[in-house]
Amino acid sequence: MLQKNTNPLNHDYDKKSKEIFRLLNEFRKNPKTLVKHIEGLKKYLDNKTNILSEPGKIQIQMIEGENIFNEAIKFLNGLGPLEPLSLDERLCKSANEHVQDIGPKGLLSYQSSCGTEPEERISKFGNYVESLGENIDFGPNDAMGVLVSLTLDDGEAERPHRDNLFKADYKKVGIACGPHKTEYQICVMDFAFDFLPFNSEKETYDMLSQSQISNSYAKNQQQTNPEVVNSIRKTPDKNSPSYNEETANFINNQIQNNNEKNGNYGNNSKNNNANPSVNKIYNSNVLGCEVILRQKRKFS
């Protein structure tokens, strides 16, 4: 008999976002603490139906079954401690904008309702440095459930959401959760190596001069949002007080050498058009993307 739950969510979404942030850094610091929780979930999995039935929660139809739990445990046991992420106000605003945009409309997409791609959407709030990523979790999950769902990455062969959670290159994150028209809840997590204000040209050039930005920093100006190019990837101004000859040569060489390179977007959507109710089994459904300035891969 399927368990009914008339109030599957705690609707204090700000509190939930903060709890996700706290737990994420706890698990990055000591991945084995998450291993204990995932190991404990295995006893609630029906190996014949692949239905996960945690007490007090809506049942979830898994795709891969017990193997996904064992594989996640192996991955986490192989990790060492990672630096904690800083909560970035601008990335939180970016994440919240997406929550408020697609949640009430019932959309399941990393694209905005007007079709804006994640890189352009997030770049409205600041200048990202080197790498950018996004995870989205849909469904009746509490804070722990959101992180477990993204760590298991059920049905995603390359485990891109898990990779985002435990990527050493990311230093900042923004998190926002809110109601979703058909999926109970949406939680968005935006990641970046760094995320700078629009007026931070000096900071950006100083970081470049310290060789903290990889060769992937420059992109083809013809294939990039012009506003982003002009604000963060432009040729340094010799009249700028932060001008540095070595930095200028680095940026100019990267722009010249990377004209054929574009962004890499990882499409991790499992849009099954589910419209769950409290007395139905909920299908595991996560969505995410990763932006790395090296190779070109289209969203689908």
Side-chain angles (χ1 to χ4, degrees):
M1 180 176 178
L2 302 185
Q3 179 175 1
K4 292 187 178 183
N5 186 340
T6 58
N7 185 22
L9 296 175
N10 174 0
H11 293 293
D12 189 341
Y13 294 112
D14 182 61
K15 181 179 179 181
K16 180 171 293 185
S17 299
K18 291 177 180 177
E19 179 65 4
I20 290 172
F21 174 69
R22 185 190 70 80
L23 288 172
L24 176 57
N25 274 336
E26 178 181 317
F27 298 149
R28 284 174 64 93
K29 181 180 178 180
N30 184 5
K32 291 181 176 58
T33 57
L34 182 53
V35 168
K36 295 179 181 178
H37 183 79
I38 292 178
E39 188 71 50
L41 291 177
K42 291 166 65 175
K43 63 177 175 286
Y44 301 119
L45 181 70
D46 186 323
N47 289 320
K48 294 181 179 180
T49 63
N50 286 340
I51 294 176
L52 182 66
S53 303
E54 289 185 76
K57 295 186 179 182
I58 293 176
Q59 294 175 307
I60 296 177
Q61 177 67 65
M62 306 298 293
I63 297 173
E64 298 179 56
E66 186 175 356
N67 287 340
I68 189 66
F69 292 86
N70 295 330
E71 195 240 315
I73 289 169
K74 181 179 179 180
F75 169 84
L76 292 168
N77 279 329
L79 283 181
L82 297 168
E83 290 185 15
L85 298 169
S86 298
L87 192 66
D88 186 89
E89 181 181 359
R90 291 176 296 275
L91 287 173
C92 286
K93 289 180 179 179
S94 168
N96 186 62
E97 181 190 67
H98 199 48
V99 168
Q100 300 304 320
D101 176 30
I102 72 170
K105 297 178 178 70
L107 300 177
L108 302 173
S109 175
Y110 40 75
Q111 294 175 322
S112 66
S113 60
C114 64
T116 303
E117 298 288 356
E119 181 180 13
E120 182 179 355
R121 168 168 52 80
I122 297 170
S123 293
K124 292 189 301 182
F125 295 88
N127 294 322
Y128 75 86
V129 177
E130 186 171 358
S131 57
L132 186 69
E134 182 169 80
N135 282 353
I136 305 180
D137 182 81
F138 297 96
N141 286 320
D142 55 15
M144 176 67 81
V146 169
L147 292 173
V148 169
S149 171
L150 295 169
T151 300
L152 293 178
D153 224 352
D154 188 28
E156 297 292 343
E158 296 182 5
R159 316 299 184 205
H161 311 89
R162 179 195 298 168
D163 186 51
N164 278 341
L165 293 179
F166 297 100
K167 186 186 290 291
D169 292 343
Y170 289 146
K171 307 299 181 185
K172 293 186 176 180
V173 67
I175 304 172
C177 298
H180 192 277
K181 185 177 181 179
T182 63
E183 306 299 313
Y184 292 115
Q185 171 188 267
I186 172 177
C187 286
V188 177
M189 309 174 71
D190 289 341
F191 302 85
F193 171 78
D194 203 356
F195 202 68
L196 306 175
F198 287 119
N199 61 352
S200 58
E201 180 181 82
K202 184 178 187 305
E203 295 177 63
T204 305
Y205 291 155
D206 287 347
M207 292 179 72
L208 277 168
S209 65
Q210 295 168 18
S211 299
Q212 292 181 334
I213 310 303
S214 73
N215 291 352
S216 63
Y217 183 79
K219 286 181 69 176
N220 181 353
Q221 298 184 64
Q222 300 295 326
Q223 299 177 343
T224 310
N225 183 338
E227 293 181 1
V228 177
V229 172
N230 292 335
S231 64
I232 193 169
R233 303 185 184 95
K234 62 186 179 182
T235 301
D237 182 2
K238 289 186 178 182
N239 297 321
S240 170
S242 61
Y243 179 81
N244 176 283
E245 187 72 29
E246 180 180 355
T247 301
N249 290 336
F250 173 83
I251 295 176
N252 289 330
N253 287 337
Q254 293 308 307
I255 292 175
Q256 181 178 355
N257 293 337
N258 288 276
N259 278 339
E260 295 183 356
K261 293 185 179 180
N262 196 2
N264 174 15
Y265 306 98
N267 173 20
N268 315 297
S269 171
K270 295 195 293 290
N271 185 344
N272 55 14
N273 298 315
N275 186 6
S277 62
V278 294
N279 62 345
K280 291 183 179 180
I281 300 175
Y282 191 79
N283 292 320
S284 59
N285 194 352
V286 291
L287 191 160
C289 72
E290 181 186 358
V291 179
I292 303 176
L293 307 183
R294 287 217 174 100
Q295 300 172 358
K296 181 176 182 181
R297 215 164 88 191
K298 293 287 186 181
F299 285 109
S300 60

